[in-house]
């Protein structure tokens, strides 16, 4: 039997049942024809409305013959109008789609670019393949739903477990004792980190450093004293408005009356404050009759009877007194902190050279401002009763009644504002990790730690410097022995040895500092390193046969002894 042409097949088809699964038709987006009865041949496809003819007519057949079997129409989509039966079974053949005839009839498409093969599947097997595809797709859908349901159950179990774990952690945190707290700050915005940890970022050897707010107050006093000194030496009236503008220009910070009150609290004998008027200000906002706060520096009278001047030496002296007063205030808070320790400590103020390691200097309470003079009260009608007493004869009865009601309402005392709650400091409790440890051992450890901290707080700066040199000596001893071995000389001059050690030591150091380290090393280990002064030079002689490990142990023991352990 001769092979039929595809154009004849499309000419005989009608709109009937789908040739394959709806899944394949949705992928190609073709119209869904009606489903024919099984075993009935597909009738011919009728002409579509509008007079357009499907692909495979007489003209198309003639062009296919003339073009070597390539069918052409007035317009095609360039994609073969076939449906793949991969979802319907294991058939590799292809079945032509009825949508290709409709698509090929439109003039907007291009000619077909591929040959259309003829389907070899009988029409009676298509419904069976469709039913088989439906079963397979249903099985796949059920398995996917079961997998999703199982996954959702697992996720729900994990969420419940995590929630229970979080609740247990919250309960443990609430049961644990709170750590030791410093002084409670007043309610307000949180202080920035560069202010809260200002002392920790200070360079050099730690000492009696002031908190950030105290240092800012000391700088304000210096600027205020400078401005007041210039105005006072010129015999000019020193008002707060002038001082405020000058201090803000110098510091680039706000300067208010509260800061002046703090300065008066720290150094009461620095200024005399008064409220005066009839002072020329040459400003539109301030009248001559208004009261202004005037500032006068308190200076010692000179023997010659001349009016004292605020000279540079007096400015330095006043600044030094102000700094000492600030340090004294911090020492008071430090003393109160030492009394709360276990065991309590007491350090004489004249021997204190640094703060306790656990004393947070930046959390020292702020200085309370002192009361400044206020303008004398002027007679003003502030309440409704005063207004009623003054203008009783000038008002109508209705207005008089309204003012009486207002006076009764304003006479009721208002409820005072609730103060900021102060959290009580919890006493230190024994942590859970130390449960079961002997209390006598804990007491000995605390006493030893207190002795160490006491020695650290009363250590002088020169002792601190010597201790730092002792800590570097073990490493410097190893470097010095290596230099003598590499030089292969029995003695070296101090200048050469210092130059070699500065280049070999891991920390930058000047030759002068290195010479002081070598002198200390010769003082502590005279049997290993000796200094010989010959004319203008100093020579170093080293015992290369000595045990270096034993020497480093001796140096470490000496460092611990100096530290007070």
């Amino acid at each position: 039997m001769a092979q039929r042409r595809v154009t004849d097949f499309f000419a005989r088809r009608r709109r009937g049942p789908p040739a394959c699964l709806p899944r394949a038709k949705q992928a190609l987006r073709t119209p869904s024809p009606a489903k024919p009865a099984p075993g009935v041949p597909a009738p011919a496809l009728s002409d579509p409305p509008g007079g357009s003819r499907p692909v495979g007519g007489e003209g198309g057949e003639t062009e296919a013959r003339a073009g070597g079997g390539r069918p052409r129409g007035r317009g095609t989509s360039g994609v073969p109008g076939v449906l793949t039966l991969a979802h319907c079974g294991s058939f590799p053949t292809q079945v032509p789609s009825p949508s290709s005839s409709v698509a090929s009839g439109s003039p907007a498409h291009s000619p077909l670019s591929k040959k259309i093969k003829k389907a070899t599947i009988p029409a009676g097997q298509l419904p069976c393949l469709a039913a088989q595809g439906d079963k397979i797709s249903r099985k796949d859908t059920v398995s996917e739903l079961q997998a999703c349901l199982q996954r959702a159950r697992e996720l729900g179990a994990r969420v419940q477990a995590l929630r229970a774990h979080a609740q247990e952690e919250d309960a443990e945190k609430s049961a644990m004792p709170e750590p030791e707290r410093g002084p409670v700050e007043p309610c307000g915005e949180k202080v920035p980190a560069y202010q809260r940890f200002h002392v920790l970022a200070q360079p050099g050897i730690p000492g009696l450093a002031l908190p950030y707010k105290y240092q800012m107050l000391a700088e304000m006093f210096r600027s205020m004293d400078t401005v007041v000194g210039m105005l006072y030496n010129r015999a000019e009236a020193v008002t707060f408005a002038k001082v405020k503008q000058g201090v803000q220009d110098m510091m680039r910070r706000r300067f208010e009356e509260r800061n002046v009150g703090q300065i008066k609290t720290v150094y009461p004998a620095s200024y005399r404050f008064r409220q005066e008027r009839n002072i020329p200000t040459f400003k539109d906002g301030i009248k001559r009759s208004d009261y202004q706060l005037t500032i006068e520096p308190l200076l010692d009278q000179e023997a010659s009877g001349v009016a004292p001047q605020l000279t540079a030496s007096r400015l330095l002296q006043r600044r030094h007194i102000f700094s000492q007063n600030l340090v004294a205030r911090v020492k008071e808070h430090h003393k109160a902190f030492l009394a709360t320790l276990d065991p309590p400590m007491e350090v004489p103020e004249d021997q204190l050279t640094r703060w306790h390691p656990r004393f947070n200097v930046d959390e020292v309470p702020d200085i309370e401002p002192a009361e400044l003079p206020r303008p004398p009260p002027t007679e003003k009608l502030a309440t409704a009763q005063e207004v009623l007493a003054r203008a009783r004869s000038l008002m109508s009865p209705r207005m008089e009644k309204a003012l009486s009601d207002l006076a009764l309402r304003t006479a009721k005392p208002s409820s005072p504002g609730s103060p900021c709650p102060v959290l009580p400091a919890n006493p230190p409790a024994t942590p859970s990790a130390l449960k079961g440890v002997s209390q006598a051992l804990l007491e000995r450890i605390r006493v030893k730690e207190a002795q160490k901290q006491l020695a650290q707080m009363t250590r002088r700066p020169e002792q601190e410097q010597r201790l730092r040199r002792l800590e570097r000596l073990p490493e410097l001893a190893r470097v010095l022995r290596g230099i003598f071995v590499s030089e292969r000389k029995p003695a070296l001059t101090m200048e050469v040895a210092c130059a070699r050690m500065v280049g070999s030591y891991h920390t930058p150091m000047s030759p002068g500092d290195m010479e002081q380290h070598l002198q200390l090393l010769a003082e502590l280990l005279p049997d290993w390193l000796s200094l010989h002064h010959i004319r203008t030079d100093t020579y170093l002689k080293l015992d290369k046969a000595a045990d270096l490990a034993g020497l480093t142990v001796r140096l470490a023991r000496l460092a611990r002894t100096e530290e007070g352990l």
Side-chain angles (χ1 to χ4, degrees):
M1 181 177 179
Q3 184 178 4
R4 294 183 180 181
R5 290 189 297 274
V6 180
T7 55
D8 295 340
F9 177 76
F10 279 108
R12 290 187 179 90
R13 283 189 61 83
R14 289 183 180 177
R15 296 181 179 178
C20 191
L21 287 176
R23 186 182 301 176
K25 291 172 64 178
Q26 290 177 3
L28 295 174
R29 297 181 181 178
T30 57
S32 56
K35 189 174 183 180
V40 180
L45 185 65
S46 59
D47 295 338
S52 61
R53 293 178 60 84
V55 177
E58 294 178 358
E61 182 180 353
T62 307
E63 292 178 1
R65 291 176 181 176
R70 185 181 299 277
R72 296 181 180 178
R74 286 178 292 178
T76 56
S77 61
V79 180
V82 295
L83 289 174
T84 305
L85 296 178
H87 297 282
C88 299
S90 59
F91 299 96
T93 58
Q94 294 177 343
V95 178
S97 173
S99 64
S100 60
S101 61
V102 180
S104 61
S106 60
H109 298 304
S110 59
L112 293 173
S113 60
K114 296 183 180 180
K115 293 182 180 181
I116 305 175
K117 295 183 179 181
K118 182 180 178 181
T120 59
I121 302 176
Q125 295 182 4
L126 293 178
C128 299
L129 295 175
Q132 185 178 359
D134 291 340
K135 291 180 180 179
I136 294 173
S137 63
R138 289 173 183 172
K139 290 180 180 179
D140 294 342
T141 305
V142 171
S143 62
E144 290 178 359
L145 289 175
Q146 290 179 352
C148 292
L149 182 59
Q150 184 66 21
R151 181 64 176 168
R153 289 174 180 173
E154 294 177 358
L155 292 177
R158 289 182 60 186
V159 168
Q160 292 179 358
L162 291 175
R163 188 175 299 171
H165 183 63
Q167 292 178 358
E168 292 178 358
E169 288 185 352
D170 294 342
E172 291 179 358
K173 290 181 180 179
S174 60
M176 290 178 61
E178 296 184 1
E180 184 178 296
R181 299 181 180 177
V184 181
E185 296 182 354
C187 296
E189 298 180 358
K190 188 175 182 180
V191 182
Y194 73 91
Q195 297 183 15
R196 288 186 283 120
F197 308 106
H198 172 261
V199 175
L200 300 179
Q202 296 302 312
I205 300 175
L208 299 178
L210 293 174
Y212 180 81
K213 47 193 173 185
Y214 282 23
Q215 289 192 4
M216 289 297 102
L217 188 62
E219 188 66 19
M220 288 180 181
F221 176 77
R222 184 190 68 84
S223 303
M224 178 180 175
D225 225 21
T226 304
V227 176
V228 170
M230 288 191 304
L231 298 176
Y232 179 78
N233 294 339
R234 293 188 305 206
E236 185 177 345
V238 184
T239 61
F240 173 72
K242 299 177 183 179
V243 175
K244 177 181 179 181
Q245 186 63 36
V247 173
Q248 291 183 161
D249 291 342
M250 293 176 65
M251 295 192 60
R252 304 296 180 185
R253 289 179 175 274
R254 294 184 61 86
F255 185 72
E256 305 292 343
E257 289 190 11
R258 180 178 181 274
N259 305 123
V260 179
Q262 290 177 335
I263 291 173
K264 183 180 178 181
T265 302
V266 176
Y267 192 3
S270 58
Y271 300 105
R272 180 186 293 113
F273 301 95
R274 289 193 296 264
Q275 286 286 345
E276 299 180 4
R277 59 180 178 177
N278 297 327
I279 299 176
T281 56
F282 308 103
K283 289 185 178 180
D284 297 335
I286 302 177
K287 300 179 181 180
R288 190 182 181 92
S289 58
D290 293 342
Y291 282 93
Q292 298 186 52
L293 180 65
T294 59
I295 305 171
E296 180 186 355
L298 296 177
L299 304 174
D300 297 333
Q301 293 291 335
E302 297 183 358
S304 60
V306 183
Q309 298 287 322
L310 199 56
T311 58
S313 60
R314 289 184 174 178
L315 290 176
L316 290 175
Q317 181 182 2
R318 290 161 62 90
R319 190 189 313 172
H320 181 64
I321 295 174
F322 191 84
S323 300
Q324 286 182 343
N325 293 346
L326 288 177
V327 173
R329 283 185 168 271
V330 182
K331 283 183 178 179
E332 293 177 1
H333 295 286
H334 183 258
K335 185 177 180 181
F337 171 79
L338 295 179
T340 60
L341 296 178
D342 185 21
M345 301 174 60
E346 184 176 357
V347 183
E349 292 187 0
D350 56 343
Q351 298 180 8
L352 185 66
T353 58
R354 68 173 62 186
W355 309 120
H356 192 276
R358 286 187 292 172
F359 177 63
N360 196 342
V361 185
D362 290 306
E363 290 187 359
V364 172
D366 206 350
I367 298 173
E368 292 294 332
E371 186 69 23
L372 296 177
R374 296 297 175 188
T378 57
E379 188 178 1
K380 293 182 180 179
L381 302 178
T383 61
Q385 293 180 352
E386 295 178 358
V387 174
L388 183 62
R390 284 292 185 90
R392 186 178 298 275
S393 60
L394 303 177
M395 60 183 64
S396 60
R398 182 178 297 180
M399 185 179 297
E400 183 178 356
K401 182 180 180 181
L403 288 176
S404 301
D405 296 340
L406 181 61
L408 292 176
R409 286 198 301 268
T410 56
K412 295 180 181 179
S414 58
S415 60
S418 58
C420 174
V422 179
L423 299 176
N426 294 338
T430 304
S432 58
L434 298 178
K435 289 183 178 179
V437 183
S438 174
Q439 292 295 328
L441 177 61
L442 292 178
E443 290 297 331
R444 288 197 301 269
I445 294 175
R446 291 192 182 102
V447 170
K448 189 175 182 179
E449 184 180 0
Q451 292 176 356
K452 177 183 175 182
Q453 293 171 354
L454 180 62
Q456 186 179 6
M457 288 187 293
T458 57
R459 190 178 297 139
R460 296 297 176 183
E462 53 272 11
Q463 296 175 353
E464 183 71 24
Q465 191 174 10
R466 177 182 173 87
L467 182 60
R468 290 180 180 275
R469 291 174 182 172
L470 286 172
E471 293 174 355
R472 301 190 190 103
L473 287 186
E475 181 66 22
L476 290 176
R478 285 190 288 268
V479 174
L480 182 61
R481 187 179 185 279
I483 291 173
F484 268 89
V485 171
S486 63
E487 290 290 338
R488 297 181 180 180
K489 293 181 181 179
L492 292 175
T493 61
M494 180 67 76
E495 183 179 359
V496 173
C498 291
R500 298 288 191 276
M501 293 190 68
V502 166
S504 301
Y505 193 55
H506 59 83
T507 303
M509 194 178 299
S510 64
D513 292 342
M514 187 61 69
E515 183 177 354
Q516 293 178 357
H517 283 78
L518 292 179
Q519 290 176 357
L520 181 60
L521 186 61
E523 177 186 349
L524 297 177
L525 301 176
D527 55 341
W528 180 67
L529 179 65
S530 58
L531 302 180
H532 301 276
H533 302 280
I534 300 176
R535 295 181 183 178
T536 58
D537 295 335
T538 303
Y539 289 86
L540 280 74
K541 194 172 181 180
L542 187 70
D543 184 10
K544 300 179 184 178
D547 184 16
L548 187 60
L551 295 175
T552 55
V553 171
R554 287 174 57 187
L555 291 174
R557 190 183 301 113
L558 289 173
R560 288 196 299 270
T561 305
E562 290 280 344
E563 193 177 1
L565 294 179

